[in-house]
Amino acid sequence: MPVQQLEKIFDDKLEKEIRIEPRDWMPDNYRKNLIRMIGQHAHSEIVGMLPEGEWITRAPSLRRKATLLAKVQDEAGHGLYLYAAAETMGISREEMNDQLLTGKAKYSSIFNYPTLTWADIGAIGWLVDGAAIMNQVPLCRTSYGPYARAMIRVCKEESFHQRQGFEILLTLCRGSKEQKEMAQDALNRWWWPSLMMFGPNDDNSPHTAQSMKWKIKRFTNDELRQKFVDICTDQAKVLGLTIPDPDLKWNEEKKQYDFGKINWDEFWNVVNGNGPCNKERIAARIKAHEDGKWVREAAEAYASKKKNVKAA
Ligand code: BYC
């Protein structure tokens, strides 16, 4: 079939909100853009296990430990669904892993910040998972079928994560003076990096316009960031915490909160590999890959032995 005709079928599907499926024809750049985005998302889930994993042995009670363990395990699951969704577009898991370990593929900037106190686990759940939900609920309607379907389960689990984080902070805020100070300190450190998770402003975002046309993204980076600020500002009041932004104020005309300027130099510095924990995170992933070599070899040996037995 001529390319123009294939393009027309593709465009009609988008127009009618019919999902694009792995065997459908799609423009090369649509495929490339989704592999980039789903790959980055999968890597973020996997690298995202590291800062929280550090607190599993230091959680303040058995209940908190069990919950955190389950949450970190959920993130591993999310990474696996997402790698599988990206594989349907023709890239292998090995290639994606290689891109992560060699620094060719990005992962979310947020996971390059350290978790200094237990309150950080609360702040990550509330803000980081909260930002993830804001960004990912619309992705349940993204135009590529396997990604959209993976996001449904991911979002359900993220919503538990967000609530456990909020509850950790609420407990600290209702506790001693020192505990409340610890919660405020965590908010002070995680607030701005959480706003950066949504990506650069729309006028500096090279992928947004095309991704909106292809219905991969349903909202722009700035639209989602604004919704996040509006929701969190009200939630911070429930906690009795102060958002570290002197310019944050209600705009009656726009019915939204205006907020201060994001430090984009810090953002690009972290994205380009120079954040507080970038090197540590990649080193941990390289070590995990090397430590897992014998498992991959054993699985391959087992598979080939089984194949030989069957052939005989
Ligand atoms: N960090 O044109 P733009 C999670 C890059 S997982 C690093 O706006 P796009 C969670 C961007 O990749 C969090 N890099 O791009 C997990 C691009 O670079 P390249 C991740 C960033 O794709 C566990 C360049 O900047 N979520 O939440 O239209 C526990 C220009 O950006 C960042 C997802 O991946 C960043 N923050 O929009 C808890 C969701 N922002 O590739 C939570 C799916 C931008 O051209 N992804 N860049 O070299 C998306 O929704 C979009 O990809 C983004 C960026 C909104 C992130």
Side-chain angles (χ1 to χ4, degrees):
M1 210 183 277
V3 177
Q4 281 108 322
Q5 223 169 315
L6 292 167
E7 265 169 5
K8 187 167 178 333
I9 297 172
F10 175 83
D11 289 342
D12 281 352
K13 280 195 180 153
L14 289 184
E15 175 69 30
K16 292 183 187 138
E17 299 285 337
I18 298 172
R19 296 257 160 81
I20 308 299
E21 296 297 339
R23 288 191 187 147
D24 293 346
W25 181 90
M26 59 190 87
D28 277 351
N29 281 339
Y30 177 86
R31 187 188 297 276
K32 246 173 87 184
N33 190 32
L34 267 166
I35 289 178
R36 176 193 67 82
M37 191 167 144
I38 305 174
Q40 170 183 311
H41 192 168
H43 299 323
S44 304
E45 299 282 356
I46 298 297
V47 178
M49 296 163 73
L50 296 170
E52 289 184 286
E54 285 171 23
W55 280 89
I56 292 173
T57 53
R58 293 182 282 171
S61 69
L62 188 57
R63 174 174 167 251
R64 295 292 188 201
K65 191 194 288 279
T67 313
L68 183 59
L69 192 59
K71 176 185 193 281
V72 172
Q73 193 174 316
D74 284 351
E75 310 298 1
H78 299 173
L80 298 186
Y81 316 144
L82 288 163
Y83 282 127
E87 279 179 309
T88 65
M89 302 206 96
I91 185 165
S92 70
R93 177 83 183 269
E94 289 71 27
E95 267 177 278
M96 284 185 278
N97 194 48
D98 195 55
Q99 288 175 355
L100 171 68
L101 300 187
T102 55
K104 276 190 217 128
K106 295 188 165 74
Y107 59 88
S108 185
S109 49
I110 194 76
F111 301 118
N112 293 306
Y113 290 87
T115 39
L116 303 181
T117 70
W118 172 249
D120 288 20
I121 300 305
I124 290 182
W126 174 38
L127 298 173
V128 176
D129 288 87
I133 294 169
M134 191 57 78
N135 167 277
Q136 292 168 18
V137 166
L139 290 176
C140 298
R141 293 188 295 114
T142 195
S143 56
Y144 186 57
Y147 193 21
R149 289 188 285 275
M151 291 321 294
I152 293 172
R153 176 157 174 188
V154 169
C155 286
K156 284 192 179 147
E157 291 177 350
E158 296 293 13
S159 105
F160 280 110
H161 299 171
Q162 195 268 353
R163 278 178 266 178
Q164 67 85 36
F166 190 82
E167 202 245 335
I168 289 174
L169 286 182
L170 194 61
T171 306
L172 290 174
C173 289
R174 288 177 177 167
S176 65
K177 185 172 158 283
E178 288 76 12
Q179 284 171 320
K180 187 158 185 194
E181 279 168 8
M182 194 161 85
Q184 181 65 55
D185 170 62
L187 172 58
N188 294 349
R189 285 180 290 107
W190 288 92
W191 176 251
W192 291 103
S194 298
L195 296 195
M196 294 174 197
M197 281 178 74
F198 295 93
N201 287 135
D202 294 348
D203 40 6
N204 281 321
S205 160
H207 301 295
T208 294
Q210 184 59 66
S211 289
M212 296 287 285
K213 278 191 202 137
W214 277 328
K215 299 191 176 175
I216 292 173
K217 280 168 115 168
R218 298 288 180 157
F219 295 97
T220 70
N221 299 355
D222 286 332
E223 284 168 349
L224 292 172
R225 188 168 16 244
Q226 182 65 56
K227 282 174 192 248
F228 178 73
V229 170
D230 292 342
I231 286 188
C232 291
T233 304
D234 290 337
Q235 291 173 342
K237 286 180 196 158
V238 175
L239 293 170
L241 295 178
T242 307
I243 290 185
D245 179 357
D247 297 324
L248 186 74
K249 62 169 187 299
W250 179 248
N251 181 327
E252 183 54 33
E253 207 177 302
K254 292 189 179 161
K255 302 274 184 248
Q256 66 185 33
Y257 285 95
D258 290 337
F259 57 96
K261 214 171 159 311
I262 291 172
N263 182 346
W264 292 113
D265 290 342
E266 175 183 327
F267 171 75
W268 289 115
N269 198 38
V270 174
V271 170
N272 291 327
N274 304 313
C277 301
N278 294 58
K279 291 184 182 66
E280 192 182 322
R281 301 295 182 235
I282 291 297
R285 289 311 311 156
I286 291 174
K287 182 175 183 309
H289 189 65
E290 282 166 2
D291 290 351
K293 189 164 173 260
W294 71 270
V295 180
R296 292 189 296 280
E297 283 171 357
E300 268 169 32
Y302 179 71
S304 88
K305 197 171 145 192
K306 246 180 124 179
K307 207 169 134 197
N308 291 343
V309 168
K310 210 172 163 193

